[in-house]
Amino acid sequence: MTTTALDRPKLSHESMMTDTMMRIPDFAIDPLFVARWSPRAFDGSDLTKTELLTLLEAARWAPSAYNAQPWRFIYALRGDESWQALLGALVPFNQSWASSASALVFILSDRHMRNPDGSSKGASHSHSFDAGAAWANLALQATRNGLQTHGMSGFDEASARAAMNIPDDFRVEAAIAIGRIGNADALPEGLRRREHPSDRLSLQHLAFEGRWPD
Amino acid sequence: MTTTALDRPKLSHESMMTDTMMRIPDFAIDPLFVARWSPRAFDGSDLTKTELLTLLEAARWAPSAYNAQPWRFIYALRGDESWQALLGALVPFNQSWASSASALVFILSDRHMRNPDGSSKGASHSHSFDAGAAWANLALQATRNGLQTHGMSGFDEASARAAMNIPDDFRVEAAIAIGRIGNADALPEGLRRREHPSDRLSLQHLAFEGRWPD
């Protein structure tokens, strides 16, 4: 990146990629989907609570089975008292780079479908899947707003539950680092080389007409 | 709806909602997120394979842990030989309205992380969550293209596996009906009353600063 998000706080999503990062979709899709990627170099700048809640707002409009909305979010902005508790629940490798993010969010999901009084009416088939839809909304709104996100499954579940008081009924789905893209040169050598949008399998390996291929 | 998608094939997403359907977000988000909803009245029109693959293209650019891309899609367009097989795997209630959709997609996810040779390197923590992110991308691109989607957990898993030859390693996450909005008057009375975008819990019930509230 030759400019940072700080230089130009309202980057259009296209301009967030340089030529060497270009992803070329096979079909005509909204450029937002390929502009969203998962950097590790964040600039350590502050994010306001409103900027963060705007991302969670997009998340809450995701679809879910029976509109059960199983997603929950525990968040900290850098500088918040709870920042270290959330950061400390990540595995050390992720702590090393996510410490430069502007916000951390843990995404949880309710394993149960609920009666109006909150009691369980049985296991949910789709709580993780639905929470994943909320996560995509969050990530896309972030890209739209000149931010990027990086989802992590690299966290210590027991530490996370203890640090954030997470009830057993809620699955810890992922931790999310959110921020403005920073200088990749600040990353260790090995990570610097990986600091670009990743490619994808082509649809022929993913999408099948009528039935799974024999 | 006073017009159908067929009258105006390139509806902007705002124009897909009437006043009585209006969702008012609490923070300034891309209007696409609230324009996406889950109708049951589809118009039974045809969708081309390219129109469908464009939605799956958006899906494949979703984020996933270690970029494992655990999502898989089995699809049928109405008129395809396999249409009845996919439709027949839904519970009868869903068959009753999804039969007017233009395409059906079953979303699967790989329960395993994989070595380059395809052998398992252990259970995936996030396969359902990641597949949910792909589903949100699919749904948002659909709305962007004047279509809507309706996700269903109401399918018969054994029937789905048998009809589509789905391997045990892959979880059946959801079935998706895709189409252009049709005339709600064609729905049975009870469903007609529910044929509008659903509301959401407010963020104060979903998002917590630093820790789960006691």
Side-chain angles (χ1 to χ4, degrees):
Chain A
M1 302 291 290
T2 53
T3 60
T4 67
L6 271 185
D7 296 327
R8 300 195 302 171
K10 272 296 195 184
L11 285 171
S12 78
H13 40 264
E14 287 87 351
S15 69
M16 295 189 71
M17 299 195 299
T18 66
D19 285 348
T20 56
M21 293 169 159
M22 200 54 79
R23 292 166 161 180
I24 310 291
D26 293 334
F27 293 86
I29 56 172
D30 192 307
L32 192 60
F33 296 112
V34 288
R36 186 219 55 75
W37 65 288
S38 305
R40 289 192 183 84
F42 290 108
D43 72 358
S45 60
D46 286 337
L47 200 67
T48 66
K49 189 166 166 177
T50 296
E51 285 174 308
L52 177 62
L53 292 181
T54 299
L55 311 185
L56 301 181
E57 176 72 16
R60 82 179 173 103
W61 289 102
S64 59
Y66 303 99
N67 198 26
Q69 308 164 62
W71 42 74
R72 298 292 184 278
F73 310 97
I74 299 182
Y75 64 87
L77 298 167
R78 61 180 304 108
D80 281 356
E81 208 181 318
S82 51
W83 173 261
Q84 285 301 332
L86 270 68
L87 186 66
L90 303 178
V91 298
F93 168 70
N94 285 335
Q95 289 184 37
S96 73
W97 58 264
S99 59
S100 297
S102 304
L104 292 170
V105 177
F106 278 76
I107 304 184
L108 321 174
S109 73
D110 191 346
R111 304 182 203 265
H112 297 268
M113 301 300 285
R114 301 286 175 183
N115 293 308
D117 69 359
S119 60
S120 171
K121 55 179 180 191
S124 164
H125 175 77
S126 66
H127 60 99
S128 297
F129 182 79
D130 295 339
W135 147 233
N137 277 20
L138 186 169
L140 292 166
Q141 183 67 53
T143 302
R144 186 83 160 68
N145 289 3
L147 303 165
Q148 288 291 12
T149 55
H150 193 130
M152 294 166 271
S153 55
F155 53 83
D156 183 87
E157 182 173 334
S159 302
R161 288 191 182 278
M164 284 168 271
N165 192 32
I166 299 171
D168 290 342
D169 277 358
F170 286 77
R171 186 170 191 263
V172 186
E173 298 290 351
I176 312 296
I178 303 170
R180 301 177 182 90
I181 289 180
N183 187 348
D185 294 340
L187 293 172
E189 167 80 23
L191 290 185
R192 194 158 64 234
R193 278 198 308 269
R194 291 162 59 190
E195 192 66 0
H196 55 79
S198 55
D199 205 353
R200 290 292 182 278
L201 296 168
S202 71
L203 277 183
Q204 62 175 315
H205 300 297
L206 303 171
F208 311 120
E209 208 173 324
R211 60 186 272 122
W212 190 274
D214 289 312
Chain B
M1 302 292 289
T2 52
T3 60
T4 67
L6 271 186
D7 295 328
R8 300 194 303 171
K10 272 295 192 184
L11 285 170
S12 79
H13 39 266
E14 287 87 351
S15 69
M16 295 187 72
M17 298 194 300
T18 65
D19 285 348
T20 54
M21 293 170 159
M22 199 56 78
R23 291 165 161 180
I24 311 292
D26 292 334
F27 293 86
I29 57 172
D30 192 307
L32 192 60
F33 297 112
V34 288
R36 186 218 57 74
W37 65 288
S38 305
R40 290 193 183 85
F42 289 109
D43 71 359
S45 61
D46 286 336
L47 200 67
T48 66
K49 189 167 168 178
T50 296
E51 286 174 307
L52 177 62
L53 292 180
T54 300
L55 311 185
L56 301 181
E57 176 72 16
R60 81 179 174 104
W61 290 102
S64 59
Y66 304 99
N67 198 25
Q69 308 165 60
W71 42 74
R72 298 292 182 278
F73 310 97
I74 299 181
Y75 63 88
L77 297 167
R78 61 179 304 108
D80 282 356
E81 208 180 320
S82 51
W83 173 261
Q84 284 301 333
L86 271 68
L87 186 66
L90 303 178
V91 299
F93 168 70
N94 285 336
Q95 289 184 38
S96 74
W97 58 265
S99 59
S100 296
S102 304
L104 293 169
V105 177
F106 278 77
I107 304 183
L108 321 174
S109 73
D110 191 347
R111 304 181 202 266
H112 297 267
M113 300 301 285
R114 300 285 175 184
N115 293 308
D117 69 359
S119 61
S120 172
K121 55 179 181 194
S124 163
H125 176 76
S126 66
H127 60 99
S128 298
F129 183 79
D130 295 339
W135 148 233
N137 277 19
L138 186 169
L140 292 166
Q141 183 67 53
T143 302
R144 186 83 160 69
N145 289 4
L147 303 165
Q148 288 290 14
T149 55
H150 193 131
M152 294 166 271
S153 55
F155 53 82
D156 183 87
E157 184 173 332
S159 302
R161 288 192 183 278
M164 284 168 272
N165 192 32
I166 299 170
D168 289 342
D169 277 359
F170 286 76
R171 186 170 191 262
V172 187
E173 298 290 350
I176 313 295
I178 303 169
R180 299 178 183 91
I181 289 180
N183 187 348
D185 293 340
L187 293 172
E189 167 79 23
L191 290 184
R192 194 158 63 233
R193 277 198 308 269
R194 291 161 60 191
E195 192 66 1
H196 54 79
S198 55
D199 205 354
R200 290 293 181 279
L201 296 168
S202 71
L203 277 182
Q204 62 175 315
H205 301 297
L206 302 171
F208 311 119
E209 208 172 325
R211 60 185 274 123
W212 189 274
D214 289 312

